[in-house]
Amino acid sequence: MKLVGLCGSLRAGSVNKMLLNEAVKRFGSAEYTEVDIRFPLYDGDLETAEFPQIVTLASQTIAAADAIVISGPEYNKGISGVLKNALDWLSRTSDKPFMDKPVVIMTAAAGRTGGETAQYMMRSCLVPFGAHVLTSPVITIAGAAKEFDEAGNLINDRYASNLDTLMAHLKKAASA
C-alpha cells in the first residue's frame, strides 16, 4: 500500500510534521512518501512558460497513492500559504491526483481550537479535487507544543486514540 503525506508547515520542528509522522506510524505497514511542497508561488505565466517539474512530480506521487494524509497549521483563521499554493498548483496538473482518493486531514496549532478553522478550509479546498475526505474523528491538536514529547511522539491518550481510529478508517478506505 502506498501512503503519501503533505505537511502544510515547512518549519523545522513543526508540530504538524510531528503529527504527520505520528499518523504515518499509526497507519501501519505502507510505502510512505512525503511530498515536498516547496513550490514556486503560483503564476499563470510560469505555468504556461515552463511548468515546474517539482509540481509534476508531486502530482504523479499523489496520483499513485492509495491513501493521503495532510497535516497543517492554522494561520490567521486559514490554511498556511504554502499549503494553499501547493493545492493551487496541483489543481493545474492533468493527473487529477486526488480524484476518488481517501484523504485524511488534521491540524495542530497553539490555540485552543487546534486549528479547527484551517481544517474546515482544507476540506473546502479539496472539494474541487474530488477527494474522498474522511471526516471523523476530527483531529485538531490544541496547545500542540505541549502534546508531543522531545522525540516528537504524541503523548495525549485521547488524541492518540482518535488518531488510531482515523488511520484505521483510512487504511480500510484505501483497501476497499
Side-chain angles (χ1 to χ4, degrees), residues 154-175:
L154 189 59
I155 57 174
N156 181 302
D157 291 338
R158 182 174 49 97
Y159 289 141
S161 176
N162 284 336
L163 187 55
D164 283 338
T165 300
L166 183 61
M167 297 315 289
H169 291 326
L170 180 61
K171 193 164 210 165
K172 183 178 178 183
S175 298

Side-chain angles (χ1 to χ4, degrees), residues 5-6 12 23 46-47 50 62 93 105 112-113 122 146 172:
L6 287 87
L46 180 58
E47 175 187 0
E50 186 175 342
I62 294 166
T93 66
I105 57 176
R112 65 179 182 206
T113 66
M122 263 191 253
K146 297 177 184 172
K172 183 178 178 183

Side-chain angles (χ1 to χ4, degrees), residues 91-163:
S91 75
R92 306 304 295 163
T93 66
S94 59
D95 295 334
K96 298 188 187 287
F98 291 96
M99 183 62 72
D100 297 322
K101 302 276 183 186
V103 177
V104 296
I105 57 176
M106 55 194 71
T107 52
R112 65 179 182 206
T113 66
E116 184 178 50
T117 305
Q119 191 162 135
Y120 288 120
M121 186 177 174
M122 263 191 253
R123 289 179 201 276
S124 295
C125 289
L126 288 169
V127 167
F129 286 96
H132 175 66
V133 180
L134 305 179
T135 59
S136 180
V138 174
I139 307 296
T140 54
I141 310 289
K146 297 177 184 172
E147 300 297 344
F148 295 88
D149 66 17
E150 306 79 38
N153 300 304
L154 189 59
I155 57 174
N156 181 302
D157 291 338
R158 182 174 49 97
Y159 289 141
S161 176
N162 284 336
L163 187 55

Side-chain angles (χ1 to χ4, degrees), residues 25-44:
K25 282 191 299 191
R26 292 168 185 277
F27 185 83
S29 180
E31 177 185 322
Y32 176 67
T33 305
E34 185 175 338
V35 172
D36 180 2
I37 61 170
R38 295 173 194 264
F39 301 167
L41 289 176
Y42 178 76
D43 177 341

